[in-house]
Amino acid sequence: MTRFKLTIEYDGGGFVGWQRQDNGPSIQQSLEDAVFRITGETVLVQGAGRTDAGVHALGQVAHVDVEKAIEAEKLKDAINYHLKPAPIAVLSSAVAPQDFHARFSATGRAYLYRIVNRRAPLTVDHGRAWLVNAALDSDAMHDAAQVLLGKHDFSTFRASLCQAQSPVKTLDRLSIHRVGEEIQVIAEARSFLHHMVRNIVGTLRLVGEGKWSKDDVREALEARDRTKGGPTAPPDGLYLTRVSY
Amino acid sequence: MTRFKLTIEYDGGGFVGWQRQDNGPSIQQSLEDAVFRITGETVLVQGAGRTDAGVHALGQVAHVDVEKAIEAEKLKDAINYHLKPAPIAVLSSAVAPQDFHARFSATGRAYLYRIVNRRAPLTVDHGRAWLVNAALDSDAMHDAAQVLLGKHDFSTFRASLCQAQSPVKTLDRLSIHRVGEEIQVIAEARSFLHHMVRNIVGTLRLVGEGKWSKDDVREALEARDRTKGGPTAPPDGLYLTRVSY
């Protein structure tokens, strides 16, 4: 039995999310089906992050145990062959130690959230970014975001369905910068609560529009109450970009 | 009667191309239908470049004459409203002089061609870039591309269906650079022949793979014979980025 570490990219648009569910196609199921077609084995593909429906990944990581003798590169190419035409691709594959666990061994996760800030509808970026019509002050968003850095009880930015044992997380980076009409939010932490990045982005949008101040963000955080935070940003703009070990 | 200059973005994936045709939806027809719904007028939307099926635009320019009194900004918003859910958006709208002609007044056109150079299939970039598996030397591609600069008979890179009166064009810029696994080709000229950018990119790919030298590109150009050029790159990676006046 060999454990493989897979790095995976996908367009989450047509999926119910990473996790296998009864109500539609998932990334996890697609990968497990591909491995089954190659090996005849019913496997569990364990991901580092359970991305929601519509959320994308440029660097999701997963592990899978395979009985059949197969080289890492061949496994990658074979999975990619069997995944077609689903918009999922294994970018790299490597043999991992038996105690490597994609989720529990992870020491860091990085997300990118893309906002396109203009009046005109999205075309080539449809489903791949959040269109915000009102002019956003990205510098004010970045400044306000800094009050969220460090170790906090993030209940204000936690989905009601979140299964984490504790709402306390340590946010290592939250950078907002503008490139033309695009605003990019980069968030890094050891781990995140369910919807945490999307709830933070939805709150920072209020700052960008001038409706909220930096102090409002601080007060919302300290309230530890989801109803005191801003709305949840849509999944379209969110990308899991990197998992560190 | 007012003439408007429109700057337009679109995902060309689901269209037969810019130009109105009987065999499927076109960008031009979609825009003309939207203007009809706003004004009740049957108009001609004249584009600067007739992009092919599957080719995208980030800055196509068109002009249209409207009898109804309407402000440029309102026309833009109304067209965008009526275009939904088609992946076409008017980015800007301005009143233009009566003698402004989107196609004939243009003094320059710029295209971007995106190649993703890796083994894994495309996911978020599916339909928006050309996937090339073999490792490409982008520096060699850039170097070879420079023999195409200037005024030449580009028959080697001209589609058989091309309607241009002359195969002589002046290529002002042809830059190739790599950003991670992406190779971007930027081409600028007053005007291009049909399929010219795609035929050039298909030829430069041969250079990137080491199959062709810079001299081979020069000889192909001098042959003035389409059969001496490389294959046509797919439309997916091509974007009309700017039209100058």
Side-chain angles (χ1 to χ4, degrees):
Chain A
M1 195 273 290
T2 308
R3 179 158 292 190
F4 292 96
K5 176 189 175 191
L6 308 175
T7 304
I8 304 154
E9 181 188 279
Y10 49 85
D11 179 339
F15 297 94
V16 295
W18 166 267
Q19 202 160 23
R20 205 184 318 108
Q21 289 177 53
D22 292 335
N23 61 331
S26 64
I27 317 293
Q28 185 181 38
Q29 182 78 60
S30 303
L31 288 161
E32 291 173 353
D33 288 351
V35 174
F36 179 82
R37 277 184 226 114
I38 299 159
T39 64
E41 300 168 38
T42 300
V43 297
L44 170 71
V45 174
Q46 172 71 55
R50 286 167 293 180
T51 55
D52 283 314
V55 173
H56 317 291
L58 304 178
Q60 168 77 287
V61 174
H63 76 259
V64 62
D65 292 332
V66 173
E67 296 287 344
K68 181 187 167 90
I70 186 168
E71 284 174 27
E73 278 292 300
K74 287 211 170 140
L75 179 65
K76 180 189 79 167
D77 291 344
I79 294 176
N80 284 337
Y81 175 81
H82 286 287
L83 281 170
K84 285 180 189 173
I88 309 172
V90 179
L91 302 181
S92 69
S93 165
V95 173
Q98 291 297 326
D99 64 350
F100 172 81
H101 192 287
R103 184 169 169 207
F104 298 124
S105 305
T107 56
R109 290 166 174 85
Y111 284 92
L112 163 69
Y113 195 100
R114 296 180 60 213
I115 298 170
V116 173
N117 188 26
R118 69 181 197 190
R119 283 180 58 79
L122 298 181
T123 70
V124 285
D125 281 324
H126 179 74
R128 290 169 188 80
W130 184 22
L131 175 67
V132 174
N133 294 318
L136 298 178
D137 179 342
S138 56
D139 290 337
M141 292 167 71
H142 178 79
D143 186 47
Q146 304 318 302
V147 309
L148 301 176
L149 286 190
K151 190 175 180 180
H152 300 286
D153 178 330
F154 280 98
S155 293
T156 298
F157 304 101
R158 179 188 198 181
S160 56
L161 291 170
C162 181
Q163 294 170 7
Q165 290 181 335
S166 161
V168 176
K169 294 289 174 188
T170 301
L171 194 56
D172 298 317
R173 183 182 177 195
L174 189 59
S175 302
I176 294 94
H177 65 277
R178 180 182 279 277
V179 186
E181 65 185 14
E182 179 167 335
I183 294 172
Q184 301 190 335
V185 179
I186 295 169
E188 296 179 8
R190 183 178 182 92
S191 62
F192 290 86
L193 300 168
H194 192 204
H195 282 185
M196 183 169 154
V197 178
R198 289 166 59 189
N199 289 338
I200 287 175
V201 170
T203 301
L204 292 177
R205 178 210 168 137
L206 298 173
V207 176
E209 286 183 286
K211 292 176 179 168
W212 275 38
S213 69
K214 185 176 185 173
D215 283 341
D216 291 332
V217 175
R218 186 184 287 112
E219 283 170 26
L221 172 69
E222 289 170 356
R224 289 175 248 172
D225 176 352
R226 178 73 195 101
T227 67
K228 304 298 186 195
T232 308
D236 313 49
L238 188 58
Y239 297 74
L240 172 56
T241 53
R242 195 177 66 246
V243 184
S244 310
Y245 293 92
Chain B
M1 194 277 287
T2 309
R3 180 158 291 191
F4 292 96
K5 176 190 175 190
L6 309 175
T7 305
I8 303 154
E9 182 188 281
Y10 48 84
D11 179 338
F15 297 94
V16 295
W18 166 267
Q19 202 161 24
R20 206 182 320 106
Q21 289 178 51
D22 293 334
N23 60 333
S26 64
I27 317 293
Q28 185 181 38
Q29 182 78 59
S30 303
L31 288 161
E32 291 173 353
D33 288 352
V35 174
F36 179 81
R37 279 184 224 116
I38 299 159
T39 64
E41 300 168 37
T42 299
V43 297
L44 171 72
V45 174
Q46 172 71 55
R50 287 168 292 181
T51 55
D52 283 313
V55 174
H56 317 292
L58 303 179
Q60 168 77 285
V61 174
H63 77 258
V64 61
D65 293 332
V66 173
E67 296 287 346
K68 180 187 168 90
I70 186 167
E71 285 175 24
E73 277 292 299
K74 288 210 170 141
L75 179 65
K76 181 189 79 168
D77 290 344
I79 293 176
N80 284 336
Y81 175 81
H82 287 288
L83 281 170
K84 286 180 189 176
I88 309 172
V90 179
L91 302 181
S92 69
S93 164
V95 173
Q98 291 296 328
D99 64 350
F100 172 80
H101 193 287
R103 183 169 171 208
F104 299 124
S105 305
T107 56
R109 290 166 174 87
Y111 284 92
L112 163 68
Y113 196 100
R114 296 180 59 213
I115 298 170
V116 173
N117 188 27
R118 69 180 196 191
R119 283 179 57 79
L122 299 180
T123 70
V124 286
D125 281 323
H126 179 75
R128 291 169 188 79
W130 184 22
L131 175 66
V132 175
N133 293 320
L136 298 178
D137 179 342
S138 56
D139 290 337
M141 292 167 73
H142 178 78
D143 185 47
Q146 305 319 301
V147 308
L148 302 176
L149 286 190
K151 189 174 180 179
H152 301 285
D153 178 330
F154 281 98
S155 293
T156 298
F157 304 100
R158 180 188 198 180
S160 56
L161 291 170
C162 181
Q163 293 170 10
Q165 290 181 338
S166 161
V168 176
K169 295 289 173 188
T170 303
L171 194 56
D172 298 316
R173 182 181 177 196
L174 189 59
S175 303
I176 294 93
H177 65 278
R178 178 183 279 276
V179 186
E181 64 186 14
E182 179 167 335
I183 294 172
Q184 300 190 336
V185 180
I186 295 169
E188 296 179 8
R190 183 179 182 92
S191 62
F192 290 86
L193 300 168
H194 191 204
H195 282 184
M196 183 169 155
V197 178
R198 290 165 58 188
N199 289 338
I200 287 175
V201 170
T203 301
L204 291 177
R205 178 212 167 132
L206 299 173
V207 176
E209 287 183 286
K211 292 177 181 168
W212 275 37
S213 69
K214 185 175 185 173
D215 282 341
D216 291 330
V217 176
R218 186 184 287 112
E219 283 171 26
L221 172 70
E222 289 170 357
R224 288 175 249 173
D225 175 353
R226 179 70 195 100
T227 67
K228 304 298 185 196
T232 308
D236 313 50
L238 188 59
Y239 297 74
L240 173 56
T241 53
R242 195 177 65 247
V243 184
S244 310
Y245 294 92

